[in-house]
Amino acid sequence: MVYLRDEHFAPSLMYDNEGKVHVDKAYRSSLTAKLPSDPLIDEISARARSFPFYQHLGDFQPIVVQNYGIAGQYRDHFDWYDDKLAVGGNIASTFFVY
């Protein structure tokens, strides 16, 4: 079982058009925590990879927990940049589990 405490969470990062990291709480007010390797987390990741669309995409980013709190938000956005600005590669899709 994975347990997360407040100290595991940090403000969710964003990237500007030049690929620089910044935090903008007016646009994205969530906190993010990366999940450690665990049998349950590995099973969720395997389930996500089993969907036909994901089988040919290559690498997956680590599974994270987003905490939006009360009235939190992340406005419409694109996770796609020019190749020279893509930080760690472009994100083709996001898989959410509630």
Side-chain angles (χ1 to χ4, degrees):
M1 178 64 74
V2 176
Y3 294 97
L4 297 175
R5 295 183 298 278
D6 287 345
E7 63 264 18
H8 292 117
F9 287 89
S12 300
L13 301 177
M14 296 174 55
Y15 297 89
D16 66 17
N17 290 334
E18 286 77 43
K20 295 178 183 169
V21 176
H22 73 277
V23 173
D24 182 350
K25 291 184 179 185
Y27 195 87
R28 183 177 191 183
S29 59
S30 65
L31 300 172
T32 301
K34 289 182 182 175
L35 292 175
S37 182
D38 172 90
L40 176 62
I41 303 308
D42 295 342
E43 182 64 30
I44 293 169
S45 180
R47 176 73 172 128
R49 292 175 202 275
S50 74
F51 283 78
F53 175 79
Y54 293 108
Q55 291 177 2
H56 305 288
L57 291 180
D59 294 335
F60 275 57
Q61 293 185 344
I63 294 178
V64 298
V65 172
Q66 295 292 135
N67 181 347
Y68 287 91
I70 297 171
Q73 68 174 347
Y74 192 7
R75 295 183 185 169
D76 291 342
H77 66 284
F78 295 99
D79 289 325
W80 199 268
Y81 305 93
D82 292 336
D83 287 340
K84 65 180 178 170
L85 300 177
V87 180
N90 281 306
I91 298 172
S93 180
T94 302
F95 189 90
F96 276 95
V97 178
Y98 290 91

